[in-house]
Amino acid sequence: MDTSVATHAPETPSLWRPFAWRGLAFAVVYLLGVAGLSSGVGVRGLDLAGSGFAERAYYALGLFVLGGLDIGTPVGGPLYGRVLLWTAYFVAPIITASALIETAARLIRPLSFRLRPLDGHVVVAGAGRLARLYARKLRDRGSRRTLVVVDRDPSHPSVVQLRDLYRAVIVGGDITSDDVLRGLRLDRAHRVLLITARVCETFNGHEFAAVNLVREHLLRRFHSTPHRDLVILAGFGRFGQTVLHQLQQHALGSFGHVVIIDEDAAMNARIFGEEPGFSDDYEHAVVDGDLLDPEL
């Protein structure tokens, strides 16, 4: 399944966006601190009178250290200078603390924070042959979109190949998990491909046809007759055995005798007798022979 979730996402994911915003905030607050100290505002624990720009810049940088440099609170100087310096006093530690909290969170929940900057990425669920083919075609086209591959076994050779050859970001987990889905930022993805089918359910055409025959035709016939009917199965291969199995499940009591005719009727009857087995509700007879034989 190929679902385009965000078709106008930029080609290159904004991996550096959080760092750019934090760097901009750091620069603005740092300049506020330098401007406040340069405006003539003093601090209670330090005499900055006659200090040069480098010294004031150093103490402004110290505002980002948790706990500060213990230089004291702003005092004196113009009002705007004190406002600037007080702003730096409060905001600088917040910026530092947010960086520390995010770093700790990355270590605790690496998936969500590792994928958080993604924008315009491609999510592939599964690492089978189709996933590798898609990754190769994606890179052959020169696309630099971030490729995120979700697989339950990150150490599987096919997963490692996607990581090493096609620069895929590997996410270990189940694509049906709510936690994994929340971390994939699907609302910002350029494309999502679900190609995880490794186990398939075999469609039994014989069973489907037998169920339809019994429920839509034979049951109606049985219900329209007052006596228990005679059933003749001309052929007792997979389909014939499936028909009898469905009759035993849905029509017991409606037929009283079953005649099985097949070139290998006895052998097939022995197989059926072992699994699922003949019911004791009716009598059955087995005849080996060719259906095209006039004498039969």
Side-chain angles (χ1 to χ4, degrees):
M1 185 177 88
D2 185 350
T3 305
S4 297
V5 180
T7 57
H8 299 290
E11 176 70 17
T12 304
S14 304
L15 295 174
W16 297 100
R17 183 175 298 173
F19 301 99
W21 279 110
R22 185 170 285 113
L24 178 62
F26 171 84
V28 171
V29 174
Y30 176 68
L31 291 177
L32 290 179
V34 173
L37 291 175
S38 301
S39 66
V41 177
V43 289
R44 294 185 182 279
L46 189 67
D47 184 9
L48 294 179
S51 61
F53 178 79
E55 188 174 355
R56 293 192 296 270
Y58 169 77
Y59 286 114
L61 186 63
L63 297 176
F64 291 90
V65 178
L66 292 181
L69 296 180
D70 196 23
I71 60 177
T73 56
V75 60
L79 176 61
Y80 78 88
R82 293 197 301 274
V83 172
L84 294 178
L85 195 54
W86 273 115
T87 301
Y89 265 54
F90 281 102
V91 179
I94 295 176
I95 295 176
T96 303
S98 67
L100 294 176
I101 292 173
E102 181 169 336
T103 300
R106 285 176 183 269
L107 297 176
I108 298 173
R109 297 185 60 193
L111 170 61
S112 59
F113 283 89
R114 177 157 47 98
L115 300 181
R116 191 167 70 93
L118 291 181
D119 191 1
H121 52 295
V122 176
V123 178
V124 176
R129 185 180 62 85
L130 289 177
R132 296 194 299 272
L133 178 62
Y134 178 82
R136 179 164 63 86
K137 292 296 184 181
L138 184 70
R139 295 311 184 208
D140 288 345
R141 292 174 53 192
S143 175
R144 295 186 298 172
R145 292 188 183 276
T146 298
L147 177 63
V148 180
V149 175
V150 183
D151 195 89
R152 294 180 178 179
D153 185 7
S155 61
H156 193 276
S158 60
V159 180
V160 175
Q161 183 183 34
L162 284 166
R163 182 195 64 196
D164 296 341
L165 293 183
Y166 306 113
R167 307 185 305 278
V169 176
I170 306 301
V171 176
D174 189 343
I175 189 63
T176 63
S177 168
D178 292 338
D179 289 337
V180 173
L181 289 174
R182 281 193 294 266
L184 291 174
R185 291 173 59 86
L186 297 182
D187 58 321
R188 307 300 296 270
H190 170 72
R191 182 161 296 166
V192 179
L193 294 95
L194 304 178
I195 44 181
T196 60
R198 291 181 177 176
V199 179
C200 61
E201 181 178 349
T202 303
F203 175 75
N204 190 333
H206 295 98
E207 183 176 0
F208 179 80
V211 169
N212 184 70
L213 174 63
V214 171
R215 293 182 177 178
E216 300 298 327
H217 300 282
L218 296 184
L219 286 178
R220 188 180 307 164
R221 162 68 183 179
F222 294 154
H223 294 160
S224 68
T225 57
H227 55 273
R228 293 176 64 152
D229 288 87
L230 166 67
V231 175
I232 300 176
L233 294 176
F236 201 55
R238 291 180 59 189
F239 178 66
Q241 295 177 37
T242 306
V243 169
L244 182 55
H245 181 51
Q246 291 298 320
L247 286 173
Q248 292 185 163
Q249 285 189 315
H250 303 290
L252 282 181
S254 299
F255 58 97
H257 203 101
V258 174
V259 178
I260 298 171
I261 305 174
D262 193 279
E263 289 184 339
D264 299 314
M267 180 185 68
N268 291 336
R270 286 194 299 270
I271 295 174
F272 185 86
E274 294 178 359
E275 182 65 37
F278 291 97
S279 172
D280 296 331
D281 185 69
Y282 62 89
E283 297 181 2
H284 69 276
V286 179
V287 179
D288 281 319
D290 188 352
L291 295 174
L292 299 181
D293 185 348
E295 184 176 351
L296 178 62

